Amino acid sequence: MNRINLKKEIVQIIFFFLLSIGCQILLNPDGQAYWDSDNYLQLSQSFWKEDGFSLFNFTDGVRGVWFPLILAPFIKLSREWGWRILSALMAVFFICYFPQTILNIREDIGFLFRKRLALFLLICIFWSGIFLYPLSDGVALVFLVLGIWFIFKDKIWGYLIGGAFFYLSYNTRTIYLLPLLFFVIGYGGLRLVQKKYSQCLSFLVCVGISMLIITPIPQIIVNLNCYDVFSPKVITKEGYSSGLFSWQLAEGLRHSEYETYIGDMEIYPDPGIQFVDKVGESLLNREELNPGEMSMKDVIKMVLKYPFEIMGIYMRHLINMLNPVWGEVYIKNIHKTKIYLSVINYCLMFTVVCYGVLKISRGKQISLSAKQFMGEKGERCLLWSTILIPCIGILPGCVEQRFFFGAYMLMYIFLLFSMGKDGFFNLSMHWKKRPMYYAALFIIGFALLSAVWGNTYANTEHGIWISLW
């Protein structure tokens, strides 16, 4: 990067950092945190007692130690401003470097500014809560992408640092164990196919040492102190009869979506907005099962006994995640106007699908030859798939819209940085050739999705109807 571009890059970093701080002040002026996010703040403060700082003061049995530990010095300086500073740094990463890592962008810095600004606006519109409150979703994704970025350096030090970030992502959100395993197997397999045996061995050894021996030391200390167990795992059985993951799967059979409410309790009398899936509830009643007491074995039995019904439940989970109207995470007004968010998001999704179909129809489908797959394109496919896996992996559970943040980031990056202005122009020309056909597809698709969304919002735990509009 030359001196002029470096100066422009620094200016843009400062601009987006300050813009993020300003948005946080505007959207959450008192810096208030709620429920899980407030719990993270309390955990980060728990390291310090009268006798000073100690890992032995951390006693939470469900959450990993690393996110509160990283947050701790920021919160020590200021409870209100600590997260805002860390969050603004996270926003800079997502705006400026997440797209670069995903697509290996080599565009002019000045030209990138408009695309980065558009990405920032989309995040503010749909996902403001990810940055307003100290939650694990965005942080774990940052760790995952940083880990992949360092591993792509194909150096010993890169493997060690990448492995450390991999463990941090798992420690922050345990569902990230799935993409980590997928990436390690996929990346190691690519190196084997390329006959880079020594590089594959170095990768596996260094990542293994970093993930299993070095980085887990704080978690091992906590586990020894709390449970007298020598283990790098995040032990998630506290408060759950069969563990957090089993509980999530069991609740996912009964609920098609879950969100958190902080508004007027006279309007909705519960901080947990649980959208009940009538089919799942009927199946559980038929089997006389209580989600709070179900084991993994019980869940598997249900899936095997009612495969089509369960498939329908999971499909509704996915469709509900295609309508991110609760991006503030902590909902203050359940009856807010949502239609404009639904329409904007549907237009974005429709555009992506149409453009993908157009490329395939013109023979530009994403089918790689063996030689291409062994190179950079194969690595990019592996990267995109790895980021999508946590979103797919959480679908059988009790889903919240914030769990799909990674998938939407990929969609926004594809639209703004990959498809871009030229791609949209080509697509619009294609639309003009068959306007009635695409208009019909647009309307039918939105009507079908809206039917599922409307049914979901009409079936809350307390029987309170929430308008789709």
Side-chain angles (χ1 to χ4, degrees):
M1 184 179 292
N2 60 46
R3 185 176 298 177
I4 295 176
N5 280 347
L6 181 60
K7 286 180 66 175
K8 288 182 178 180
E9 185 74 359
I10 292 172
V11 169
Q12 288 192 28
I13 288 172
I14 295 172
F15 173 79
F16 284 114
F17 179 85
L18 295 177
L19 188 61
S20 176
I21 293 287
C23 287
Q24 290 184 61
I25 295 172
L26 179 66
L27 298 174
N28 188 20
D30 57 0
Q32 182 67 42
Y34 308 90
W35 300 105
D36 282 358
S37 62
D38 186 59
N39 191 23
Y40 276 119
L41 293 179
Q42 293 180 31
L43 289 172
S44 67
Q45 292 174 312
S46 70
F47 292 105
W48 278 280
K49 299 294 182 184
E50 294 179 358
D51 57 346
F53 176 90
S54 175
L55 280 172
F56 293 104
N57 295 329
F58 187 88
T59 58
D60 188 89
V62 176
R63 292 170 177 82
V65 67
W66 266 108
F67 178 34
L69 185 60
I70 293 171
L71 188 57
F74 292 90
I75 300 303
K76 181 66 173 177
L77 292 172
S78 170
R79 179 182 168 93
E80 178 182 346
W81 282 94
W83 169 249
R84 284 180 172 173
I85 293 171
L86 189 59
S87 174
L89 293 173
M90 185 172 73
V92 168
F93 173 80
F94 277 115
I95 300 303
C96 297
Y97 299 108
F98 191 85
Q100 180 121 357
T101 303
I102 297 298
L103 296 174
N104 197 20
I105 297 169
R106 296 183 178 88
E107 291 187 50
D108 177 74
I109 298 298
F111 183 72
L112 284 176
F113 176 74
R114 286 173 289 178
K115 295 183 177 182
R116 289 173 171 176
L117 186 60
L119 179 59
F120 182 88
L121 292 174
L122 284 171
I123 291 174
C124 285
I125 292 170
F126 289 101
W127 304 100
S128 59
I130 298 292
F131 298 91
L132 291 179
Y133 310 107
L135 293 165
S136 62
D137 309 273
V139 178
L141 184 56
V142 168
F143 290 150
L144 176 67
V145 175
L146 280 174
I148 295 173
W149 186 78
F150 276 105
I151 285 172
F152 278 171
K153 299 294 182 184
D154 282 326
K155 305 289 185 182
I156 296 295
W157 59 267
Y159 295 151
L160 289 169
I161 298 174
F165 276 116
F166 275 2
Y167 180 80
L168 294 184
S169 67
Y170 154 74
N171 192 264
T172 303
R173 279 201 70 199
T174 53
I175 190 66
Y176 274 69
L177 182 61
L178 297 177
L180 296 182
L181 293 173
F182 175 81
F183 181 86
V184 169
I185 294 171
Y187 196 77
L190 280 174
R191 292 296 171 258
L192 286 176
V193 171
Q194 295 168 347
K195 297 183 179 180
K196 297 180 178 180
Y197 303 119
S198 60
Q199 194 176 74
C200 178
L201 182 61
S202 299
F203 163 70
L204 294 174
V205 170
C206 292
V207 169
I209 290 173
S210 194
M211 284 187 67
L212 301 177
I213 299 175
I214 301 175
T215 321
I217 290 174
Q219 188 66 49
I220 291 172
I221 293 173
V222 168
N223 289 342
L224 284 170
N225 181 52
C226 295
Y227 306 106
D228 198 28
V229 174
F230 185 89
S231 173
K233 291 175 56 179
V234 178
I235 299 173
T236 58
K237 289 193 175 183
E238 186 176 293
Y240 302 93
S241 59
S242 300
L244 177 60
F245 189 62
S246 297
W247 177 84
Q248 271 275 354
L249 291 175
E251 286 293 315
L253 294 176
R254 184 169 181 266
H255 298 119
S256 56
E257 187 178 344
Y258 176 91
E259 301 298 336
T260 306
Y261 180 63
I262 57 171
D264 189 345
M265 289 298 169
E266 292 185 3
I267 295 176
Y268 194 89
D270 198 325
I273 306 178
Q274 303 177 56
F275 299 98
V276 179
D277 191 296
K278 295 297 185 181
V279 174
E281 186 177 52
S282 174
L283 295 179
L284 291 171
N285 291 337
R286 187 185 305 173
E287 297 296 320
E288 299 181 347
L289 290 171
N290 180 0
E293 299 174 355
M294 288 176 65
S295 65
M296 182 69 74
K297 184 178 180 180
D298 293 325
V299 175
I300 294 174
K301 282 183 177 179
M302 287 285 290
V303 173
L304 294 176
K305 189 172 182 178
Y306 304 103
F308 297 107
E309 292 87 344
I310 302 298
M311 190 182 300
I313 292 172
Y314 294 162
M315 182 58 67
R316 286 188 287 277
H317 285 195
L318 174 61
I319 292 174
N320 287 331
M321 294 302 99
L322 301 181
N323 192 35
V325 294
W326 309 114
E328 65 266 51
V329 177
Y330 297 110
I331 303 168
K332 294 181 180 179
N333 178 13
I334 60 173
H335 297 304
K336 71 174 185 179
T337 303
K338 297 178 282 293
I339 182 60
Y340 68 94
L341 290 175
S342 297
V343 171
I344 293 173
N345 182 70
Y346 179 74
C347 288
L348 297 177
M349 292 191 300
F350 187 79
T351 300
V352 168
V353 172
C354 287
Y355 187 69
V357 172
L358 178 62
K359 290 189 71 174
I360 292 173
S361 66
R362 291 183 175 179
K364 298 179 180 179
Q365 64 270 27
I366 311 172
S367 58
L368 304 178
S369 66
K371 186 176 180 179
Q372 288 177 315
F373 184 77
M374 289 190 295
E376 184 179 335
K377 288 187 177 181
E379 292 181 358
R380 295 294 152 188
C381 289
L382 180 63
L383 170 57
W384 282 62
S385 302
T386 301
I387 292 173
L388 283 173
I389 282 178
C391 305
I392 298 169
I394 202 64
L395 275 177
C398 190
V399 289
E400 300 177 50
Q401 286 183 353
R402 62 189 174 95
F403 296 163
F404 259 58
F405 175 64
Y408 281 94
M409 281 297 299
L410 291 180
M411 182 177 78
Y412 301 152
I413 289 169
F414 177 80
L415 281 167
L416 295 172
F417 296 87
S418 183
M419 178 179 170
K421 184 179 178 180
D422 292 339
F424 185 77
F425 176 78
N426 292 333
L427 180 60
S428 63
M429 292 296 100
H430 189 70
W431 281 341
K432 287 181 180 179
K433 294 178 181 178
R434 306 175 69 185
M436 298 304 296
Y437 172 76
Y438 284 104
L441 283 180
F442 182 91
I443 294 171
I444 292 171
F446 188 72
L448 291 174
L449 293 178
S450 295
V452 177
W453 298 334
N455 183 65
T456 295
Y457 298 154
N459 289 300
T460 62
E461 185 83 17
H462 298 281
I464 296 174
W465 179 72
I466 298 176
S467 172
L468 173 63
W469 313 115

